[in-house]
Amino acid sequence: MTDTRSAVPIAELCARMRSFIDDVVIPAEPVLANEDDAAHETLAQLRDRAKELGLWALGHPAELGGGGVPFLDFVYLNEIIGRSEFGQLAAGSVSMQDTLMLHKYGTPEQKQRWIPPMVAGELLPSVALTEPEVAGSDPTLIETSAELDGDSWVINGHKWFTTGVRDAGYCSVFARTEPDTTLRHERISAIIVPTDTPGFEIVRSIPTMGHNPSDHYEVRLTDVRVPAANLLGERGKGFAVAQDRLGPGRIFHCMRWLGQAQRAYELMCARANTRYAHGSVLAEKGEVHRYIAESAAQIHAARLMTLDAARAMDAGEDARVRIGLVKFWGARMLHDVVDRAIQIHGALGLTADTPLERMYRQARYARIYDGPDEVHRMSTARRLLRDPEVAPWR
């Protein structure tokens, strides 16, 4: 893929992406939401269109065939991509954090095999981290095991919320490889498992809020045997690999939440300016004024926090406090803004005639995936208490 996109001014890329998302992807949402053959065909057409427009995989490093857009600039693009829940799939950013993880930790052979098709959109990755028997927010409790047998890893375990694994070419499985005598954070390793490996069984699609089937799967691994060379990163360093993937991923989520919240805000304003009730349009009601002002303030605050976290990441700074703060703040912001938009729409907001009811369900997920709010508040508070100097404004 010849890349000239990184030289294009970010403002121009944002304008082109906004046109693509608003004029091409969003009108296709009713078809895409059905998750049938027509949805898959439509998504393929959208991907082809994004590539034609030079909008594909903009955040992937240029040396890997992506657009080479810096992390901070990608915030501006990804908040636009996030205006549609299908934007990531249509614009080729859905595999970005896995590509970056493999680029950092993978062997030359692993990179050569998996990265080019991922960046091209020909292959999707998946990650098996969460398990139903233990708390997903504490990966040190993982029970899935991997033992060396000659030159092979033999993996046994039970995973769930393994997102996208049905269509994935491989799965990064996090498993316990070290004894209990090892330090808690040095007991697990990441291992690449092709999804067609014998013993790798997709048990079911897990019914979730409004989605049955959903894109989250339960997986069992029974004597799954893969080469020892499939180890991703160092043995016993899986926790560090996972955190390196989850850190940028949390910012990616916050970027997309901005787009969803901005779209809900626009719908809220449009409804308030046109809906007549009790002697005037809603826009003249004091309570509606509060909804609009508080939503604008929350979006703006979350946007500044997200930009600051991305700036710190770009500069190579320790961004853990910034990421922790914006993860729980952004999730709450998204929920609040979409909730107010539904309230202003009244009964219409509960129907599928607007995107709001679907957006509301997606917003509820935000407070749980990649770490629940409570864990981020706790871990961030502990860091701040240990050293108040790490506060973002210091």
Side-chain angles (χ1 to χ4, degrees), residues 198-213:
F200 188 92
E201 176 195 3
I202 297 177
V203 178
R204 59 167 178 153
S205 167
I206 302 168
T208 58
M209 296 174 63
H211 297 275
N212 188 14

Side-chain angles (χ1 to χ4, degrees), residues 352-368:
D353 291 352
T354 79
L356 291 171
E357 62 88 21
R358 190 176 179 94
M359 291 168 69
Y360 188 79
R361 287 186 272 115
Q362 297 298 322
R364 189 60 186 86
Y365 288 120
R367 292 183 53 208
I368 294 178

Side-chain angles (χ1 to χ4, degrees), residues 23 67 94 98 104 122 133 136 153 205-206 255 259-260 278 288 315 322 340 347 350:
D23 301 337
V94 69
D98 290 281
K104 179 173 181 178
E122 299 164 358
E133 292 83 9
W153 287 107
S205 167
I206 302 168
M255 295 173 186
Q260 286 283 287
H278 304 287
V288 173
R322 289 173 168 85
R340 294 187 193 110
L350 304 177

Side-chain angles (χ1 to χ4, degrees), residues 151-228:
D151 59 357
S152 297
W153 287 107
V154 179
I155 308 171
N156 286 279
H158 186 198
K159 300 288 187 178
W160 75 338
F161 282 88
T162 309
T163 304
V165 71
R166 184 193 64 182
D167 299 316
Y170 78 91
C171 185
S172 298
V173 176
F174 288 82
R176 184 183 291 256
T177 58
E178 311 308 309
D180 290 345
T181 53
T182 310
L183 293 174
R184 289 178 65 242
H185 290 84
E186 296 182 1
R187 294 175 187 169
I188 64 171
S189 302
I191 301 171
I192 295 175
V193 178
T195 54
D196 59 358
T197 305
F200 188 92
E201 176 195 3
I202 297 177
V203 178
R204 59 167 178 153
S205 167
I206 302 168
T208 58
M209 296 174 63
H211 297 275
N212 188 14
S214 76
D215 196 33
H216 307 291
Y217 294 87
E218 180 181 358
V219 174
R220 285 196 181 275
L221 301 98
T222 306
D223 293 331
V224 171
R225 184 177 290 268
V226 297

